[in-house]
Amino acid sequence: MTTSTPTSATATPVSLLGLGPMGRALATAFLDAGHPLTVWNRTPGRTGTLSRRGAAVADGVEEAVRGGRVIVACLRDYAAVRAVLDPPPGDWTGRVLVNLGSGEPAQARSLARWADGHGIRYLDGAILSPTPAIGTPSAAVLYSGKAEVYEVVRNVVAAIGGTGGYVGADPGRAVAHEVALLDLFATSVNGLAHAFALAGAEGIAPGELAPYAAGIGGLLTEMAPRWAEQLAAGRFPGERSTVASAATALSHLVGTAAGHGLDLGALASAKRAADRLVTAGHGDDGLARLATVQHADGAEQGRQA
Ligand SMILES: NC(=O)c1ccc[n+]([C@@H]2O[C@H](COP(=O)([O-])OP(=O)(O)OC[C@H]3O[C@@H](n4cnc5c(N)ncnc54)[C@H](OP(=O)(O)O)[C@@H]3O)[C@@H](O)[C@H]2O)c1
């Protein structure tokens, strides 16, 4: 397990708004860490075993706010946070709002401005891990917003566990990490689904493809840090594989998928990026250069330090 149990001097009353799967996991982590906990959920009756474990169940949001010094929201999205907290219920003097729901970076910035406008100390956060990781060393949670607000809550949110931490003053930065990683996850999941469909169309059973598919997934672990270095340096050595070679392979892939009537959306986008680089004379560069031509207008982006 994660954190040491707080002493009575460091235990902080926490209120948790939202008892979906993630909210319940957070509630358990706060209780495990010894913080007095008040919970509230829009739909009553979702407290499970939390009240037996000592959580106070608030009848309304105002009562929940009254019960905590750190108010943690874990709701579906930013619209839900607005629906629950705008206008702010109760007295927020001496309290901090930490929002851990998902959304868009611009929505996080907008909520931070809203909080400022109401004199509420605000910290945004993004949970990058699934519920079983919460409260363990493997939980990854990022926070962004005013550094002094993070300092106020860091010992409390330590209960959530794991790696991550403060990523900067821009309140949208934590959620920006989340959407970038969701981009990788969503396109990888779609790629896996598309590969099984293509293999199936060629008469290859899922079980035959699976061991090779798992090997491809493993390649990303090595590529991510190597690409990061190359993008920061603006140098793309092509000694392992080149964009021109990838463009040719993508032609084979698009041709085969088209022959089976499969959707070509993601592949067409990948091929467009590779073709743009070949046309611009960068065919001998390594694959990391593909990250520089992902804009819809085809403009090549500069160095990403
Ligand atoms: N589950 C995960 O593994 C995971 C991982 C990373 C991040 N997250 C993020 O954590 C957040 C919570 O996720 P979740 O898994 O707990 O389930 P969820 O289905 O995304 O959210 C459920 C919670 O949101 C509340 N809610 C939704 N709309 C509302 C509204 N208009 N007003 C008030 N409350 C509203 C629900 O209340 P009711 O019960 O009344 O409907 C419930 O408390 C999401 O932003 C999700 O993306 C989840």
Side-chain angles (χ1 to χ4, degrees):
M1 291 298 292
T2 50
T3 50
S4 53
T5 303
T7 63
S8 55
T10 57
T12 303
V14 175
S15 287
L16 184 70
L17 311 178
L19 292 175
M22 184 52 82
R24 287 196 301 273
L26 295 173
T28 302
F30 287 125
L31 287 172
D32 285 347
H35 296 294
L37 182 69
T38 301
V39 295
W40 173 85
N41 194 62
R42 176 183 59 175
T43 307
R46 302 218 162 131
T47 46
T49 59
L50 294 171
S51 42
R52 244 183 291 136
R53 291 206 51 206
V57 180
D59 278 336
V61 188
E62 187 167 345
E63 188 184 325
V65 170
R66 209 166 34 244
R69 307 308 288 176
V70 176
I71 317 299
V72 177
C74 188
L75 303 168
R76 170 75 49 86
D77 52 20
Y78 285 82
V81 178
R82 296 279 186 146
V84 170
L85 292 179
D86 191 10
D91 180 5
W92 284 77
T93 312
R95 295 184 164 81
V96 177
L97 172 61
V98 181
N99 178 37
L100 295 181
S102 304
E104 299 177 24
Q107 294 171 329
R109 291 173 192 126
S110 167
L111 192 65
R113 282 193 298 275
W114 168 86
D116 260 352
H118 287 89
I120 296 173
R121 289 182 295 169
Y122 178 72
L123 189 70
D124 204 87
I127 302 174
L128 307 180
S129 302
T131 52
I134 300 304
T136 78
S138 67
V141 188
L142 304 181
Y143 301 93
S144 60
K146 291 181 180 146
E148 62 268 27
V149 179
Y150 177 65
E151 288 308 319
V152 170
V153 300
R154 68 183 301 169
N155 287 330
V156 175
V157 296
I160 301 170
T163 57
Y166 180 69
V167 292
D170 167 10
R173 202 164 156 77
V175 162
H177 282 72
E178 184 185 19
V179 289
L181 293 165
L182 188 58
D183 186 342
L184 173 60
F185 185 66
T187 49
S188 302
V189 166
N190 185 61
L192 185 63
H194 203 274
F196 273 119
L198 181 56
E202 286 288 339
I204 300 167
E208 291 179 278
L209 190 75
Y212 303 107
I216 298 242
L219 294 179
L220 290 174
T221 310
E222 181 278 327
M223 285 169 83
R226 180 161 54 80
W227 280 35
E229 267 179 33
Q230 294 181 1
L231 286 162
R235 280 194 300 278
F236 308 100
E239 76 263 11
R240 288 174 183 241
S241 52
T242 66
V243 170
S245 176
T248 305
L250 281 162
S251 297
H252 304 151
L253 175 49
V254 168
T256 310
H260 290 298
L262 295 180
D263 189 306
L264 300 179
L267 297 179
S269 156
K271 179 152 169 43
R272 245 190 333 270
D275 287 347
R276 271 179 199 144
L277 287 178
V278 172
T279 304
H282 301 307
D284 290 337
D285 280 358
L287 301 187
R289 188 152 202 154
L290 290 165
T292 67
V293 285
Q294 294 295 322
H295 272 244
D297 66 3
E300 188 170 354
Q301 304 305 299
R303 219 167 122 234
Q304 300 181 21

